[in-house]
């Protein structure tokens, strides 16, 4: 099965930002594109805007002048749905309202041939529900492009309950022929990216709501320790707080208000106040010209400890040991059956975030998970009001001696990066177990769709198959609301590993 033949015209309905982007992708791929919008004159304006973007591509030597001229002749604004009759693919990118989309596709279905593929670019509505209005829903599929469509490579190819396999395959191959990276997924709320990415925002906001840290510090830790391209607060300011909150709320409602997808009250208040991010000049941050941006909390210089005792292998933080040696510390290693920690001269301990709190133990400072401890430029530490100031100072001095800036946050179980990664890994395992997508497609989608440094299953393999389950299980004990309860899929994943190793504990 191949995609839509380049000799066949395709149509894009909806001449807004997404519609224009999708039309440009199809146009540059070589198709004749009919662009339609219900607002009179809008399609013509959109065609002019696309032409201007093609001109800029020529100026940047990313498109030849002859190819630009040929593309312009293939871009045909349509004045009515009837003008789309000869198209073999009709893509919709209109208002995110189920009734509007259903009525539109009923009208399109009455015009095009039986073999015309119908596709929606919806990001939040059910593909099954939209296609349910058609007399032949088998030819209906979701083709979810990411904004800006000409630049971002990912396309989620979404099969509704009634979508024929041949239609999904045809859509998949068309996206690939257009130079995109398609991933296949079932029709689930949020599809792949918007489903699995929810904890990235939700847990960052939860740390803020618990007064664990301010937005600038949380964002800095996610970037400089976790390796994420942007922090959750700056990213949602870029996306638009109203857009991000709406997607979160839509997914939550679609999952029957599952507590794992609960929206953030702090973000809701931000939206209610009209602080929507960059587009309004105010969001979590002040985006007015010349506005002073808040700095992340960074600890003052502290004296390095005289020595460090390493107990156990430190698990995902094992690479810290050679770094400590390279920094000139005296290091003594002790084998411990149950201990995976660093012991400081004060007698206090440093432990990798594990879902527990510092206040539960005598003189323990937690440190956050890092994508790469050697390359990380910042480390977050977590301590309680009962933690010895000397232990916290020694922990701070240790990481500063390793060349890291240190951010001390509140006594937050799971801290920042660790709890976010653990929940993303859990959501990914749950999605595979429920037939949403394959491990490979999920990893691809999260790397390309939201620029994660690793896909969830890449994280899982790196951290150990039991790591996410153990952390979430500890978190669930401290917050039994169900928000952090590990999925059955993650439990099975961890337990099966333990059985192979001869343990049922």
């Amino acid at each position: 099965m191949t995609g839509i033949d380049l000799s066949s015209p395709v149509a894009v309905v909806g001449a807004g930002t997404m519609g224009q982007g999708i039309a440009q992708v199809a146009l540059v791929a070589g198709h004749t594109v009919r662009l339609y919008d219900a607002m009179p004159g809008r399609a013509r304006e959109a065609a002019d805007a696309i032409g201007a973007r093609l001109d800029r591509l020529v100026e940047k030597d990313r498109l030849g002048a002859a190819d630009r001229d040929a593309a312009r002749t293939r871009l045909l604004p349509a004045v009515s749905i009837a003008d789309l009759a000869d198209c073999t693919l009709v893509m919709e990118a209109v208002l995110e309202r189920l009734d509007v989309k259903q009525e539109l596709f009923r009208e399109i279905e009455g015009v095009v041939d039986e073999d015309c593929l119908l596709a929606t670019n919806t990001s939040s509505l059910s593909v099954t529900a939209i296609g349910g209005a058609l007399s032949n829903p088998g030819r209906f599929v979701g083709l979810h492009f990411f904004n800006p469509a000409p630049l971002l490579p990912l396309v989620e190819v979404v099969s509704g309950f009634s979508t024929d396999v041949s239609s999904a395959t045809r859509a998949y191959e068309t996206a690939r022929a257009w130079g995109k990276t398609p991933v296949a997924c079932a029709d689930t709320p949020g599809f792949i990216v918007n489903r699995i990415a929810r904890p990235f925002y939700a847990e960052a906001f939860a740390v803020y709501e618990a007064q664990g840290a301010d937005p600038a510090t949380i964002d800095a830790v996610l970037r400089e320790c976790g390796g994420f391209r942007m922090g959750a607060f700056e990213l949602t300011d870029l996306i638009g707080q109203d857009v991000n909150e709406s997607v979160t709320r839509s997914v939550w409602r679609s999952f029957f208000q599952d507590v794992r997808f609960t929206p953030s009250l702090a973000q809701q208040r931000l939206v209610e106040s009209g602080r929507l991010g960059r587009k309004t000049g105010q969001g979590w941050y002040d985006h007015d010209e010349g506005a002073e941006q808040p700095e992340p909390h960074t600890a003052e210089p502290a004296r390095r400890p005289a020595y460090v005792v390493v107990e156990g292998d430190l698990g995902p933080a094992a690479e810290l040991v050679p770094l400590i040696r390279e920094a000139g510390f005296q290091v003594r290693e002790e084998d411990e059956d149950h201990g995976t920690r660093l012991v400081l001269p004060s007698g206090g301990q440093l432990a990798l975030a594990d879902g527990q709190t510092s206040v539960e133990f005598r003189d323990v400072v937690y440190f956050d998970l890092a994508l790469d401890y050697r390359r990380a430029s910042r480390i977050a530490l977590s301590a309680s009001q009962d933690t010895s100031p000397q232990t916290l100072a020694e922990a701070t001095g240790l990481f500063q001696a390793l060349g890291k800036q240190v951010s001390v946050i509140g006594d937050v179980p799971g801290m920042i990066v660790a709890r976010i990664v653990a929940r993303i890994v859990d959501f990914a395992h749950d999605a595979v177990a429920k037939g949403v997508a394959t491990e490979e497609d999920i990893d691809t989608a999260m790397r390309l769709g939201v620029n994660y440094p690793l896909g969830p299953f890449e994280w899982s393999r790196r951290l150990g198959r039991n790591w996410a389950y153990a952390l979430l299980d500890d978190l669930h004990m401290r917050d039994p609301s169900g928000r952090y309860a590990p999925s059955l899929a993650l439990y099975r994943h961890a337990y099966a590993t333990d059985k192979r190793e001869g343990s049922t504990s």
Side-chain angles (χ1 to χ4, degrees):
M1 175 71 68
T2 59
I4 304 298
D5 192 280
L6 287 178
S7 64
S8 303
V10 301
V12 177
V13 179
T17 300
M18 281 305 302
Q20 290 181 33
I22 295 167
Q24 180 179 329
V25 170
L27 198 63
V28 171
H31 286 280
T32 294
V33 177
R34 306 197 194 284
L35 184 60
Y36 172 76
D37 194 281
M39 183 179 295
R42 182 76 180 275
R44 178 71 268 172
E45 294 173 2
D48 292 341
I50 294 170
R53 284 198 291 272
L54 295 178
D55 288 340
R56 289 194 290 273
L57 291 178
V58 172
E59 293 169 2
K60 296 177 181 178
D61 293 325
R62 294 169 59 187
L63 184 69
D67 291 333
R68 182 266 320 272
D69 294 341
R72 280 186 163 181
T73 64
R74 297 194 305 271
L75 181 56
L76 306 173
V79 297
S80 71
I81 292 292
D83 292 339
L84 315 182
D86 63 340
C87 293
T88 53
L89 166 65
V90 178
M91 274 288 309
E92 164 273 316
V94 302
L95 185 67
E96 284 285 89
R97 271 181 48 186
L98 179 61
D99 59 337
V100 172
K101 292 180 187 290
Q102 287 178 327
E103 179 58 33
L104 172 65
F105 278 110
R106 276 194 292 261
E107 186 177 358
I108 293 171
E109 189 178 38
V111 170
V112 298
D113 290 339
E114 291 183 0
D115 63 346
C116 178
L117 185 65
L118 304 180
T120 175
N121 185 59
T122 185
S123 61
S124 61
L125 299 177
S126 164
V127 171
T128 300
I130 300 171
L134 300 175
S135 61
N136 178 16
R139 61 167 163 174
F140 188 76
V141 67
L143 275 175
H144 180 216
F145 287 76
F146 288 75
N147 191 32
L151 297 180
L152 294 185
L154 185 69
V155 176
E156 292 176 320
V157 182
V158 186
S159 294
F161 185 80
S162 300
T163 302
D164 293 335
V165 172
S166 60
S167 297
T169 302
R170 195 176 177 202
Y172 186 99
E173 294 300 333
T174 297
R176 186 157 62 177
W178 289 0
K180 298 301 180 181
T181 302
V183 292
C185 66
D187 184 20
T188 184
F191 309 142
I192 298 175
V193 173
N194 281 330
R195 171 177 175 151
I196 295 175
R198 290 349 300 158
F200 180 75
Y201 313 109
E203 293 312 310
F205 299 159
V207 171
Y208 166 75
E209 290 174 335
Q211 301 187 57
D214 60 277
T217 299
I218 296 170
D219 279 354
V221 172
L222 285 169
R223 290 192 313 270
E224 300 168 33
C225 181
F228 291 94
R229 186 75 59 87
M230 299 179 74
F233 296 87
E234 58 187 337
L235 179 55
T236 52
D237 265 4
L238 175 63
I239 294 169
Q241 297 301 331
D242 53 338
V243 174
N244 183 262
E245 202 270 346
S246 176
V247 171
T248 298
R249 191 167 296 277
S250 173
V251 173
W252 173 64
R253 286 173 175 162
S254 297
F255 277 114
F256 309 106
Q257 300 185 2
D258 186 330
V259 68
R260 297 176 303 157
F261 296 93
T262 301
S264 162
L265 181 59
Q267 187 182 36
Q268 178 182 313
R269 292 289 181 261
L270 203 66
V271 173
E272 290 171 343
S273 71
R275 299 176 61 176
L276 307 183
R278 292 190 183 185
K279 61 186 176 184
T280 62
Q282 297 281 334
W284 295 110
Y285 299 106
D286 186 345
H287 298 280
D288 287 340
E289 187 174 353
E292 185 176 347
Q293 296 304 313
E295 293 293 327
H297 170 76
T298 302
E300 294 294 325
R303 181 178 298 178
R304 59 185 282 161
Y307 64 88
V308 178
V309 178
V310 179
E311 295 185 350
D313 63 7
L314 296 188
E319 63 179 316
L320 276 175
V321 178
L323 293 182
I324 293 170
R325 291 188 185 280
E326 290 168 17
F329 284 93
Q330 178 185 346
V331 177
R332 184 168 73 248
E333 296 190 50
E334 296 182 358
D335 292 331
E336 291 286 332
D337 290 339
H338 302 290
T340 55
R341 58 197 174 188
L342 301 171
V343 181
L344 301 167
S346 64
Q349 301 170 12
L350 257 174
L352 176 62
D354 59 6
Q356 302 181 87
T357 57
S358 181
V359 74
E360 300 172 52
F361 303 98
R362 177 187 171 276
D363 219 12
V364 170
V365 173
Y366 280 105
F367 63 93
D368 211 346
L369 177 70
L371 173 68
D372 183 332
Y373 283 100
R374 182 175 293 276
R375 298 177 62 183
S377 59
R378 182 178 299 271
I379 291 291
L381 300 181
S382 175
S384 76
Q385 67 271 19
D386 296 330
T387 303
S388 160
Q390 182 180 356
T391 297
L392 182 57
E394 288 178 343
T396 300
L398 171 64
F399 280 105
Q400 288 174 339
L402 301 183
K404 319 299 182 186
Q405 291 185 303
V406 174
S407 292
V408 179
I409 70 171
D411 191 13
V412 179
M415 301 191 70
I416 298 171
V417 180
R419 71 195 285 179
I420 286 175
V421 170
R423 290 204 69 206
I424 289 172
V425 167
D426 184 34
F427 274 34
H429 279 281
D430 185 54
V432 169
K434 292 176 178 173
V436 173
T438 65
E439 292 186 8
E440 181 180 2
D441 275 357
I442 287 175
D443 276 353
T444 298
M446 302 313 291
R447 286 196 313 269
L448 299 183
V450 277
N451 286 313
Y452 284 2
L454 295 174
F457 293 97
E458 292 174 315
W459 270 114
S460 185
R461 288 189 289 272
R462 174 183 287 201
L463 297 170
R465 294 168 64 106
N466 191 55
W467 178 84
Y469 175 81
L471 187 145
L472 291 175
D473 194 41
D474 278 337
L475 264 171
H476 177 55
M477 289 179 64
R478 286 150 186 82
D479 178 359
S481 65
R483 179 186 180 103
Y484 300 104
S487 68
L488 180 59
L490 191 65
Y491 171 78
R492 285 173 170 159
H493 182 74
Y495 181 77
T497 303
D498 287 345
K499 277 188 73 173
R500 283 197 295 273
E501 294 172 355
S503 169
T504 57
S505 62

